[in-house]
Amino acid sequence: MTQNQTQFDQFAKNASSIGQAGMEAFIDSSTIFAKGCEDIVRTSVAMAQDSAEKQSAYAKDAMNCKTLGEWAEKQNKIAQANFSDFMSSASKISEMSVKLLTESAAPLSKQAEKAMKKATTQSAQKAA
């Protein structure tokens, strides 16, 4: 009976330790994720401001056209520039998102790996 109580106490201590380490990993992961989201929002706002400035310049430039053909050509160039800017911005946000998810998952993955290694080691010791 005493051996069972000792084993249970050890199990409870290990579970508590793993739970605390898991919570710390979760907090680290959440902190990384929150900061990364701030960076993505900051970048998105900067991109939107840049786009608004470009659109204003494009509109002024288009208003200076003297013929319908010149205006159509200018609109085509504006559309191409907008598409290029959109693709560039989308790629940048996508890259930032992938990096953020990878970095924010790292503390949780590391903790899960430690917990599994500890559980495997303890299981092997009990079997021996």
Side-chain angles (χ1 to χ4, degrees):
M1 179 91 159
T2 306
Q3 183 181 10
N4 287 341
Q5 182 65 38
T6 304
Q7 288 176 340
F8 178 78
D9 290 343
Q10 183 63 36
F11 174 77
K13 180 180 173 185
N14 289 342
S16 175
S17 173
I18 289 172
Q20 182 178 357
M23 184 55 71
E24 289 171 2
F26 177 76
I27 291 169
D28 290 346
S29 179
S30 297
T31 302
I32 292 168
F33 187 77
K35 180 170 179 346
C37 286
E38 288 175 14
D39 291 342
I40 289 172
V41 168
R42 192 176 305 113
T43 299
S44 297
V45 168
M47 288 174 178
Q49 288 173 337
D50 183 53
S51 178
E53 290 170 5
K54 286 181 181 179
Q55 295 309 311
S56 177
Y58 291 153
K60 288 178 186 176
D61 196 27
M63 292 298 174
N64 291 328
C65 295
K66 295 185 178 28
T67 67
L68 187 57
E70 185 180 348
W71 185 82
E73 185 179 322
K74 189 67 67 179
Q75 289 299 313
N76 186 35
K77 288 182 181 179
I78 291 169
Q80 288 174 348
N82 284 338
F83 183 74
S84 177
D85 287 347
F86 169 77
M87 292 304 292
S88 174
S89 297
S91 293
K92 183 171 185 170
I93 294 297
S94 178
E95 289 170 7
M96 290 177 76
S97 298
V98 169
K99 181 180 177 195
L100 170 60
L101 293 174
T102 302
E103 289 176 355
S104 66
L108 296 173
S109 296
K110 186 176 179 181
Q111 180 53 37
E113 185 179 315
K114 284 181 184 178
M116 290 303 292
K117 189 173 188 177
K118 185 174 185 176
T120 303
T121 302
Q122 288 177 350
S123 178
Q125 288 173 352
K126 287 181 182 180

